[in-house]
Amino acid sequence: MGALVAILVVIILMFLGVPVVFSFAAMTLTLSLIYGIEISSLMTTGFWAVNSVILLALPLFIMTGYVLQSGGLARRLIDFVEALVGNSKSGMGASMIVACAIFGAISGTASAAVAAIGRIMVDPMERHGYDRGYVAALLGASSLLGLLIPPSITMILFAVVTRQSVTACFLATVGPGILLMILLIIYNAIRIRMGGELPEKTLPVADRWRNVGTAGWKAMPALMMPVIILGGIYGGFFTPTEAAAIALVYAIPVGMFVYRDLNLKGLFDCVVQAAATTGVIMVILVFSFISSRIFTMERIPQEMTGFLFDVFESPLAILIAVNLFLIALGMIMDDVSIIAITGPLLLPVMTEIGVEPVHFAAIIGMSVVIGCNTPPMAPILFLSCRVGNVGMSRVTKPALQLILFTALPVQIAVTFWPGLSLFLPRALGYL
């Protein structure tokens, strides 16, 4: 009961607009008061928990995302993808989806994809005939591929708070991420063709491939980033933390000296923004680790497991209930908060009903994807509205349709088809 009260405190405070950091501090204080634990004795637990080499990847990947926005890499990626897949009625929508997927394979964040790709593509898509509200909704859904396609900051956080392999968690969301990307492309094509109002591009084949070659050559430095990052991690050449450092060291000179869109002032701004974002995440993690320690000391996960088995008659019903709970949390909380709260709390429940921890990583990742794009809070969807300069009323309906026809089917597949998320970790020897 104490854990539920503490979670309610976080939810209520965040709903009232209290900053996330202070909401988590209030949760930790609530737990210490309920269970009579001196919180000062646990502060060292939180400090040593974040004193981790793995967590060095967070500021590095976050900084890389900001450099990608400012350094011209996003613009070249979009030009290449549009030349490759943008020669049909639905081509610009497909270009946005694929560009977000590639961007996610570099930066690991959804917000960076919204800011970088949205600013470039929203206005041209509207001029091409797309409804602006649908474009913003599609941007929000597509940007969340960055939470699934590795390297993913969300999966780094999950691995840290649950003591799992970062690389295994990365691999667990590859299948769901690719499936979601395919469904988004199919849905976009069906919607656009049913509308029938967009013109078909009629470039000759020779011109089309010439454009692909030109755009591909210009985008080559940017396209090499996911190859270096993912190839290095899965080839065993370096760890995810080292990959993050290499990505940043690679991105800065490319932005400054190859594309020449990044200057010293822009680089300084990137450092400031990355430091602010990282600082918030780290403080949240400190309070999360302290709360997790209290959960363990008071055997709260075991009590929760027993309660769920008393209420629900089968592991299947528990799995469905956990999915609904995670999606509901995602509607009112950001991905970092959800991972920090539910990762250590629900993992024992999942293992008790036979769910692999890495499988649970994929389940929670998809739940965050759905929740972050679902009102009332929908943080990524609101960011898409701001970037696209469109009201929420025009975005809500297409966003819910995208969730219903693309994200929910993937969530169901991930939950009840473990092989979708476990195939790659097992094939590469991480399970």
Side-chain angles (χ1 to χ4, degrees):
M1 181 60 72
L4 293 177
V5 171
I7 292 173
L8 282 175
V9 168
V10 174
I11 293 173
I12 292 171
L13 289 177
M14 291 180 67
F15 193 79
L16 293 175
V18 176
V20 177
V21 171
F22 297 120
S23 300
F24 267 77
M27 178 188 74
T28 306
L29 181 61
T30 301
L31 285 171
S32 68
L33 292 174
I34 290 175
Y35 294 105
I37 299 174
E38 181 60 45
I39 194 170
S40 61
S41 64
L42 296 176
M43 290 302 294
T44 54
T45 300
F47 172 77
W48 287 112
V50 297
N51 186 24
S52 167
V53 174
I54 295 174
L55 284 175
L56 281 175
L58 286 178
L60 295 171
F61 275 128
I62 290 170
M63 176 69 178
T64 302
Y66 284 116
V67 170
L68 291 175
Q69 293 181 47
S70 304
L73 283 80
R75 172 72 268 176
R76 274 71 177 190
L77 283 173
I78 292 171
D79 289 344
F80 170 67
V81 173
E82 188 171 350
L84 191 64
V85 299
N87 293 293
S88 65
K89 287 185 178 181
S90 58
M92 291 193 75
S95 300
M96 175 184 281
I97 296 164
V98 176
C100 285
I102 298 175
F103 202 87
I106 300 174
S107 67
T109 62
S111 57
V114 172
I117 295 174
R119 289 184 181 129
I120 297 171
M121 293 204 69
V122 171
D123 289 336
M125 288 179 71
E126 185 183 35
R127 288 195 296 269
H128 189 65
Y130 282 78
D131 176 72
R132 197 175 185 89
Y134 170 70
V135 172
L138 185 64
L139 173 63
S142 304
S143 68
L144 290 165
L145 292 168
L147 303 183
L148 299 175
I149 295 178
S152 164
I153 290 177
T154 301
M155 287 298 103
I156 293 174
L157 292 173
F158 178 87
V160 169
V161 300
T162 59
R163 304 293 192 269
Q164 302 301 312
S165 164
V166 174
T167 307
C169 291
F170 279 176
L171 290 169
T173 53
V174 171
I178 293 174
L179 180 58
L180 178 60
M181 181 182 69
I182 293 171
L183 289 181
L184 284 169
I185 292 172
I186 293 173
Y187 175 84
N188 176 70
I190 293 173
R191 178 186 174 103
I192 296 305
R193 292 188 181 278
M194 287 178 63
E197 71 277 9
L198 297 187
E200 187 88 36
K201 292 186 178 180
T202 56
L203 278 177
V205 174
D207 291 343
R208 201 176 290 176
W209 285 109
R210 189 180 301 112
N211 290 343
V212 170
T214 302
W217 175 254
K218 291 180 179 179
M220 187 60 65
L223 291 171
M224 287 301 297
M225 284 194 68
V227 175
I228 294 170
I229 295 169
L230 301 180
I233 292 174
Y234 301 128
F237 297 105
F238 38 75
T239 66
T241 301
E242 292 166 343
I246 290 169
L248 181 58
V249 170
Y250 181 87
I252 291 174
V254 169
M256 294 187 74
F257 305 118
V258 178
Y259 294 140
R260 300 182 181 181
D261 289 344
L262 181 66
N263 53 32
L264 288 176
K265 182 182 182 303
L267 182 61
F268 178 77
D269 291 340
C270 290
V271 172
V272 172
Q273 292 172 320
T277 303
T278 304
V280 171
I281 293 176
M282 296 304 288
V283 175
I284 289 174
L285 285 177
V286 168
F287 289 118
S288 171
F289 284 124
I290 295 173
S291 300
S292 298
R293 180 62 176 166
I294 296 174
F295 292 157
T296 303
M297 291 169 59
E298 299 299 326
R299 295 181 56 82
I300 293 172
Q302 290 81 357
E303 292 180 4
M304 180 171 289
T305 302
F307 171 76
L308 289 173
F309 273 108
D310 289 339
V311 173
F312 301 102
E313 297 181 355
S314 68
L316 178 63
I318 294 176
L319 195 55
I320 294 172
V322 168
N323 269 273
L324 294 175
F325 174 67
L326 289 171
I327 292 172
L329 276 184
M331 294 167 63
I332 55 177
M333 300 173 70
D334 62 279
D335 56 325
V336 174
S337 302
I338 295 170
I339 297 293
I341 291 175
T342 63
L345 185 62
L346 292 178
L347 183 60
V349 178
M350 293 291 97
T351 54
E352 184 68 25
I353 64 175
V355 175
E356 291 271 0
V358 175
H359 180 200
F360 181 51
I363 291 174
I364 201 171
M366 274 306 305
S367 300
V368 168
V369 165
I370 294 174
C372 284
N373 225 33
T374 306
M377 298 295 282
I380 295 299
L381 193 60
F382 273 103
L383 180 58
S384 297
C385 290
R386 288 199 296 271
V387 171
N389 194 25
V390 61
M392 192 67 178
S393 59
R394 290 181 59 186
V395 176
T396 301
K397 182 178 178 180
L400 293 177
Q401 290 172 340
L402 282 164
I403 290 168
L404 179 62
F405 294 111
T406 62
L408 274 179
V410 177
Q411 176 75 8
I412 293 169
V414 168
T415 302
F416 299 109
W417 179 22
L420 179 62
S421 54
L422 297 181
F423 171 75
L424 280 177
R426 284 173 176 163
L428 295 181
Y430 291 97
L431 283 181

